[in-house]
Amino acid sequence: MSDVELVPMGLPHLAGVLELGNRVFDVSAMPYTSWSLSSAAVHLDAQPDACWVAEAGGQVAGFVLGSLSYDERADWGYVEWLAVDPEHQGKGLARTLLEESCAALFAAGATRVITDVEQTNTASAQLMRRCGFNDSVTVTLFVRHAPAEDGAARQARARARPTDPAKARLHAAARKSERD
C-alpha cells in the first residue's frame, strides 16, 4: 500500500467515488441499484468521519462509506459501501478502509457495526469474517420482472425516468476541470 494514501473523504472525492462505484458495483443487481451521487453524498454529509478514500496518483483507488444509525437504531453503525479498484485489490486496502470506518463509528457511539454482502460476493464475505463480522441474518430478495414490452413501450419508460440533477452537475464540473 506504499503508493496509496488513506485520507478522509471530502467533496473533491465525490466524482471519483461515484465513478469507481459505477465500475465495480453491478448497478443492475440488488443491492447496488441504489448506488448514486446522492447515496454517496448522504454518507459524507451525515457521518464524514466514517467515510474514507484511498488515493493513488491523485485518483480514487478505493473508498468506504459508513454511517451511524441503521434502521432507526441510532446506536448501530452501518458500512454500506466499500469498493477497491481491481488494480489495487489484494493489497489489504479494503481491510484498512473498513477498519478506519468501523473505528470512527465506534468512536461516535455505535455499539455494533453491521454490513451486508451480496450472496455471490465471496471475497467480501471472507473480508468481513476476517475483520470480526459474523453472519447474523439471511434475507432472500424476491424479484418480479415487468411483463415483456415492445420496443416503443421500453423507450417511453426509459424517457420517463427522472435524472439526478446533482449527478449531472457533478459530471459537468468534472468534465470542465479536465478541460481546464
Side-chain angles (χ1 to χ4, degrees):
M1 252 183 32
S2 61
D3 64 331
V4 178
E5 180 183 10
L6 212 63
V7 297
M9 185 176 154
L11 289 175
H13 297 114
L14 277 175
V17 165
L18 185 65
E19 189 275 328
L20 177 58
N22 282 327
R23 273 193 296 123
V24 301
F25 300 141
D26 178 0
V27 295
S28 68
M30 290 300 277
Y32 303 126
T33 54
S34 64
W35 178 245
S36 67
L37 173 62
S38 57
S39 180
V42 161
H43 285 80
L44 181 60
D45 188 44
Q47 200 74 36
D49 52 336
C51 300
W52 290 83
V53 170
E55 293 181 329
Q59 300 295 315
V60 173
F63 65 86
V64 63
L65 304 176
S67 61
L68 193 57
S69 81
Y70 174 77
D71 198 26
E72 306 303 318
R73 292 291 309 254
D75 62 331
W76 288 14
Y78 184 34
V79 173
E80 187 171 8
W81 302 103
L82 175 64
V84 175
D85 188 299
E87 193 176 300
H88 295 278
Q89 291 177 359
K91 302 175 184 176
L93 191 52
R95 181 183 190 115
T96 302
L97 286 162
L98 180 62
E99 293 295 348
E100 286 292 334
S101 187
C102 286
L105 293 168
F106 287 130
T111 59
R112 65 188 68 187
V113 174
I114 64 162
T115 192
D116 52 78
V117 175
E118 199 266 325
Q119 186 177 11
T120 61
N121 191 341
T122 56
S124 288
Q126 290 171 348
L127 168 69
M128 296 308 163
R129 287 185 195 100
R130 285 193 313 267
C131 290
F133 287 81
N134 300 306
D135 292 346
S136 181
V137 176
T138 301
V139 175
T140 301
L141 178 68
F142 292 91
V143 178
R144 180 177 176 181
H145 295 278
E149 300 176 328
D150 63 19
R154 245 188 331 271
Q155 288 175 351
R157 192 167 35 88
R159 281 192 306 273
R161 283 193 190 118
T163 58
D164 183 343
K167 183 177 176 180
R169 284 193 306 274
L170 181 65
H171 282 289
R175 285 191 300 273
K176 182 181 182 309
S177 70
E178 288 173 0
R179 287 190 306 264
D180 294 344

